[in-house]
Amino acid sequence: MSTSRRTFLTAATGAAVAVPLFGAPAHAAGFDPRPGSDGVGDPLFPTLGNGGYQVDHYDLAFDFTPGTYDFTASVTLHARATHDLSAFNLDTDGHTIDSVTVEGRQARTALSLGKSGQELTVTPAAPLHKGTPFTTTVRYHGNGKAPRAGLTGWRFGTDGGFVSAVQSSRADTFLPCNDTPSDKATWAFHITAPEGYVAAANGELTGKDRRADGSAVWHFALRERMPTELLGIAVVKGTYLYGSSHTGLPLRHLVPRGREDFFAPIVARTPDHLTWLEAKFGPYPYSVYGLHIYDGYTDALENTTLTLMGTNWFKDAAGRPTYENTMIHELTHQWFGDSVTPHDWQQAWLNEGPAVYYAALYSEERGWSRMADKMQATYDKLDAIRASDGPPGLPKALGGTNIYDAGALVLYALRLHVGQKKFDRVMGLWPRRFKDRTVTSEDFIRHAVNVTGDRGVDTFLRDWLFGAKNPPLPGGRT
């Protein structure tokens, strides 16, 4: 809302009074504006994200030129001040800032280099009251291959296009934002692609406007809240393959142009994967799903509603299709990590533990591997990993076995401890009760105790998640 005054009822009299929210004078009673912090105190990334506000919605317009990798863009953040706010920061890296407005009024800006990229400090024309909804629009431009601090979120293919792979802290290489998993928002995207290219983004395709030069603006909407680290935008030479799940969920997959016949039977496995996981966790938490398979990417990433996978995963497609394990891993993330999101990066086992566990279970059910063998192998090396990298619930960095395989081992041990039936209830109710929220290990511990009715589960999980050494595996296994 762009107005600077709104009417509220006073608690004492019920009379209507005008309360200044935006642009209140600094001497107003109880009004004490101060800058927002340049980080939210994430244990692994202390300067990631920003304090003083929460984003409710991002509206991103992105016009990309393949081959040259130039882009022009604008983003409007719809946010709320969480304390009286004199200035606030946005995470940005590799951009030339053209203009910034707050509530339509020009704001003062300053760029500085932080530990995880650049900080854009925005000073509104007038300070903001706590609780005030406000909009900030940033117009900017840049080049996808321009140097930037540390790792970039850009991935390029031989087609001259790009995909975004920004986890865990590189959404700021695409847009000024509040780049922390603790601040989830809804999204709208307007991605311009030239003739011969298609655009992709999280959420549903809501429309496409063709231009006289053959280019088109593709419009997408994600109506569920998503953290910035799951941003999935792209401009590529590709083909959309459409379908539906067994329950009617719309599916859209994006595959390399000219390889449609090869990838069609692979993406056609998705309905069965959804059925297998929905039987465990309840309905898929979004309104659309699909895979984006791209030749310029070599990993796999759970971008919300549009899992990104490199073509390299499918080289064995004619043989035993173990790539399905990875498809299950990333699809599991749509519940564990995307819908229910760790509040900070030290809670990352809550993402990766379930994804590894259920991929291993899927593989076991198809006779490709044995869960017990995988868990025993993890257990045997975990003491050394705890010592060097930290236990699963207190990692010293991201990406280690302690988060992935050892996170799955925590769940495997819990299953042995409480039994299959109670374990299935713990895991099945978790994404339903905490849908669209951010969570911590403490939330999971309380949830497991409540669901099982076993207070001993509290100590059991704390030993497995935070202990310096491995507890014994239940059932006498060592």
Side-chain angles (χ1 to χ4, degrees), residues 159 161-163 193 196-200 234-239 254 257 292 294:
D159 62 356
F162 79 91
V163 295
Y197 287 80
V198 299
V235 173
V236 299
K237 288 184 177 180
T239 301
L254 185 54
R257 186 171 301 162
H292 182 183
Y294 189 57

Side-chain angles (χ1 to χ4, degrees), residues 117-132:
Q118 287 181 300
E119 296 282 347
L120 175 65
T121 301
V122 178
T123 303
L128 301 162
H129 248 290
K130 178 181 178 180
T132 304

Side-chain angles (χ1 to χ4, degrees), residues 62 83 100 113 180 201 205:
F62 203 85
H83 63 69
V100 180
L113 185 63
T180 168
L205 177 64

Side-chain angles (χ1 to χ4, degrees), residues 19-24 28-31 81-85 127-133:
V19 180
L21 290 181
F22 181 83
F31 185 54
T82 56
H83 63 69
D84 295 338
L85 198 59
L128 301 162
H129 248 290
K130 178 181 178 180
T132 304

Side-chain angles (χ1 to χ4, degrees), residues 39-82:
V40 295
D42 189 297
L44 299 186
F45 300 92
T47 62
L48 201 63
N50 304 282
Y53 66 96
Q54 288 276 317
V55 182
D56 294 320
H57 181 74
Y58 288 94
D59 195 309
L60 175 65
F62 203 85
D63 189 337
F64 175 78
T65 303
T68 69
Y69 307 103
D70 292 328
F71 65 88
T72 59
S74 68
V75 62
T76 297
L77 293 79
H78 299 258
R80 291 172 292 106
T82 56

Side-chain angles (χ1 to χ4, degrees), residues 21-243:
L21 290 181
F22 181 83
H27 61 270
F31 185 54
D32 182 24
R34 65 188 190 278
S37 62
D38 62 357
V40 295
D42 189 297
L44 299 186
F45 300 92
T47 62
L48 201 63
N50 304 282
Y53 66 96
Q54 288 276 317
V55 182
D56 294 320
H57 181 74
Y58 288 94
D59 195 309
L60 175 65
F62 203 85
D63 189 337
F64 175 78
T65 303
T68 69
Y69 307 103
D70 292 328
F71 65 88
T72 59
S74 68
V75 62
T76 297
L77 293 79
H78 299 258
R80 291 172 292 106
T82 56
H83 63 69
D84 295 338
L85 198 59
S86 60
F88 58 91
N89 281 21
L90 297 171
D91 300 307
T92 184
D93 197 10
H95 307 142
T96 298
I97 305 300
D98 298 315
S99 68
V100 180
T101 60
V102 177
E103 289 291 276
R105 301 171 68 184
Q106 196 70 32
R108 290 188 291 112
T109 62
L111 270 176
S112 60
L113 185 63
K115 291 182 179 179
S116 60
Q118 287 181 300
E119 296 282 347
L120 175 65
T121 301
V122 178
T123 303
L128 301 162
H129 248 290
K130 178 181 178 180
T132 304
F134 66 95
T135 61
T136 300
T137 297
V138 184
R139 301 185 186 279
Y140 60 103
H141 68 276
N143 184 279
K145 288 196 172 183
R148 44 181 49 83
L151 298 174
T152 178
W154 292 77
R155 299 292 184 273
F156 305 102
T158 57
D159 62 356
F162 79 91
V163 295
S164 64
V166 305
Q167 198 179 68
S168 55
S169 62
R170 296 281 67 182
D172 64 350
T173 62
F174 284 94
L175 74 157
C177 59
N178 196 21
D179 200 6
T180 168
S182 64
D183 194 359
K184 299 173 68 171
T186 58
W187 293 74
F189 302 94
H190 317 280
I191 312 297
T192 301
E195 187 173 13
Y197 287 80
V198 299
N202 313 89
E204 301 175 46
L205 177 64
T206 59
K208 184 167 63 172
D209 298 329
R210 296 191 180 276
R211 294 177 168 177
D213 63 0
S215 66
V217 184
W218 301 62
H219 304 282
F220 301 85
L222 181 65
R223 297 177 178 87
E224 300 84 5
R225 298 194 305 138
M226 177 183 77
T228 51
E229 48 107 355
L230 297 170
L231 176 76
I233 62 174
V235 173
V236 299
K237 288 184 177 180
T239 301
Y240 275 105
L241 302 178
Y242 295 95

Side-chain angles (χ1 to χ4, degrees), residues 258-293:
R259 302 191 68 190
E260 295 87 354
D261 290 345
F262 178 83
F263 286 111
I266 292 172
V267 300
R269 296 292 301 128
T270 303
D272 287 347
H273 296 167
L274 279 161
T275 295
W276 191 78
L277 289 171
E278 285 184 321
K280 294 168 173 54
F281 312 137
Y284 172 75
Y286 301 100
S287 59
V288 66
Y289 182 66
L291 298 172
H292 182 183
I293 301 172

